[in-house]
Amino acid sequence: MSEKKTALVVVDVQHGNTAEAWDRDGVVTRIADLIARAQAAGTPVIWIQHESGPFVPGSDPWQIVEAVRPGDDETVIGKQHLDAFAGTSLRAELDALGVGALVICGAATDACIRTTTMRALVEGYDTTLVSDGHTTDEGPWDLPLPTGEMVPVGAREMIAYTNFFIEDTTYPGVTTAVLPTTEISFS
């Protein structure tokens, strides 16, 4: 892990993002463990909550899953885009805390997790994606290619590919890691 001050970023662990997610209970349990360990170590926990499409503020899909609700003193940042940095105060909040390293977990792997993790690297943060701490809908989906060909992709493949993609991505001056929950340390 990075020597820089770290924050745990919990992305979109909402009813609408997790109701039909692969290994939902296991992922939520691991995220709850990460949150408890971060809080015990005095590591800031930053919550991201999607607020567009079916995620209307106050609606059931918008609600954060009960097992991992934010504490009263924790920052919750609403977002309109897949990228949690786009059009939000995330960068300003992290800068105000003096954070230079992020541990990222949440939902959904194929959208908000991938784009937020990539943006964190581009923004210059040492970034760790929790390999068993993100999920997406069970699938499989038939994803159309520009050629019209359909590619069937399921949640396990999407998660494995995202872990590979992030681990293989480098940017100058920052570190990239993909680690399981058990190897994350907030000391």
Side-chain angles (χ1 to χ4, degrees), residues 98-123:
V99 168
L102 303 179
V103 174
I104 299 175
C105 61
T109 298
D110 52 304
C112 301
I113 292 297
R114 189 177 308 158
T115 53
T116 298
T117 303
M118 287 302 301
R119 179 70 179 271
L121 290 165
V122 170
E123 291 288 327

Side-chain angles (χ1 to χ4, degrees), residues 136-169:
T136 193
D137 286 349
E138 186 73 44
W141 313 285
D142 287 325
L143 301 176
L145 294 174
T147 61
E149 179 184 5
M150 300 301 272
V151 179
V153 177
R156 291 180 68 154
E157 294 84 6
M158 185 67 71
I159 292 164
Y161 174 75
T162 298
N163 288 339
F164 163 77
F165 179 80
I166 297 301
E167 189 167 47
D168 198 44
T169 301

